[in-house]
Amino acid sequence: MTTTGSGSTYDPPADPEGGAARAVVFTSVPEAARGQGPPPRTDRRVALVTGASSGIGAATARRFAAEGWQLLLSGQDRRRLEQTASGTSAVLLPADLAAPEGAKTLAEAALRETGRIDVLVAGAGIGWAGPFLTMPHTDIDRVLFLDLSATLHLVREVLPSMVAAGSGRVVLVGSVAGAVGVREEAVYSAAKAGLAAFAEALRQELRGTGVGVTLVVPGPVETGFFARRGRPYHRSHPRPTSPGRVAGAVWDAVSRGRDDAHVPAWLTLQPRVRALAPGLHRRLLNRFG
């Protein structure tokens, strides 16, 4: 969700075989070269995590590594990816998902490395804070593409291999902003709301395929995300939670096959209040939103 420091409570485990993370330089695969020989296989379960250079993505990667998974880590900052992968046998796939064909190139490189992706954790994204009337058009496009469109394109590229295998899970990192609509975060809220609708629609389409979809909805998280979006977090409530706590919720949802995870759990009250008492819900937003 962010490209800033994680403050994770999880430390990367030492690889029992002494393996070290390695970076892969990849380019698009020509049409004629695809399908020439089977990709390498691994007996370990494989998680592809985007936004893994820091924040929620980095903490999630460390949690999956601690559980013995093979990691494919993607982000724009190679140095921070190396820090996330320290002590593991993770494969680093630095990528810019905003680039043309970025999602396609990343998915192809990931599948070439391991021949399978059991879980995709789509955590890459950015924020922007300020009045919508002053938001530059270029920033509108950038937030919508990175937080919504790029994720959809990546899921579209990864999903066929999961469906063919008859198993897998897509984890989408949303936000409470997508559920309530946060003042002066209009475009970010719109992108995350779109992600939530996509998760529900895709979940229905994938019924019977063995592939699940999880939407993780965190409140504010203790990362550099707020500074990078242009405005620090200044509210006393709700208090920010740690990236490690969100990573724990991601792991729990994947291991238990859950469709939704809210961090903290009381965030599940918001959609209930909106459904049962929309007037009260809006008054609360006017005061606290």
Side-chain angles (χ1 to χ4, degrees):
M1 180 174 176
T2 173
T3 57
T4 56
S6 71
S8 171
T9 58
Y10 298 104
D11 293 323
D15 182 39
E17 299 179 359
R22 60 189 179 87
V24 175
V25 178
F26 55 89
T27 56
S28 295
V29 179
E31 289 292 336
R34 294 182 193 137
Q36 294 182 1
R41 305 294 299 184
T42 176
D43 292 333
R44 298 167 65 190
R45 291 172 295 177
V46 177
L48 170 60
V49 183
T50 69
S53 1
S54 57
I56 294 172
T60 300
R62 291 169 184 150
R63 180 58 187 267
F64 274 74
E67 300 293 342
W69 285 53
Q70 173 64 48
L71 296 178
L72 303 172
L73 305 182
S74 185
Q76 293 193 63
D77 191 321
R78 183 187 295 269
R79 180 182 61 83
R80 290 192 173 186
L81 280 179
E82 291 172 349
Q83 293 174 352
T84 299
S86 177
T88 77
S89 59
V91 176
L92 308 186
L93 301 173
D96 181 5
L97 291 176
E101 300 290 304
K104 183 180 182 66
T105 303
L106 173 58
E108 289 177 344
L111 288 169
R112 283 200 305 272
E113 281 296 318
T114 57
R116 62 189 280 187
I117 297 173
D118 298 288
V119 169
L120 166 64
V121 180
I126 58 171
W128 194 96
F132 180 68
L133 287 176
T134 66
M135 188 174 186
H137 290 277
T138 53
D139 286 333
I140 292 174
D141 293 340
R142 188 163 181 259
V143 170
L144 285 175
F145 189 83
L146 284 172
D147 291 354
L148 181 59
S149 296
T151 298
L152 269 60
H153 284 294
L154 182 58
V155 173
R156 175 63 182 82
E157 295 295 335
V158 170
L159 206 53
S161 67
M162 291 184 175
V163 172
S167 64
R169 182 159 292 269
V170 174
V171 179
L172 305 173
V173 180
S175 170
V176 66
V180 302
V182 177
R183 181 168 52 237
E184 297 193 346
E185 293 184 37
V187 178
Y188 179 74
S189 294
K192 293 301 185 178
L195 204 61
F198 171 68
E200 188 60 55
L202 185 62
R203 192 177 294 127
Q204 297 303 316
E205 287 191 29
L206 293 175
R207 289 175 61 188
T209 66
V211 181
V213 180
T214 296
L215 178 68
V216 179
V217 182
V221 183
E222 294 170 342
T223 70
F225 174 79
F226 295 104
R228 292 209 175 189
R229 72 175 184 173
R231 179 179 299 175
Y233 186 78
H234 57 77
R235 301 181 187 185
S236 57
H237 297 285
R239 293 181 178 180
T241 191
S242 72
R245 186 177 179 185
V246 180
V250 172
W251 170 254
D252 184 70
V254 169
S255 59
R256 297 173 182 268
R258 291 179 173 172
D259 293 338
D260 299 283
H262 292 74
V263 188
W266 61 260
L267 288 179
T268 57
L269 294 175
Q270 180 276 327
R272 300 175 189 175
V273 173
R274 182 175 59 185
L276 297 174
L280 172 62
H281 180 262
R282 185 154 290 111
R283 287 194 298 273
L284 291 172
L285 276 183
N286 291 339
R287 181 174 180 181
F288 301 107

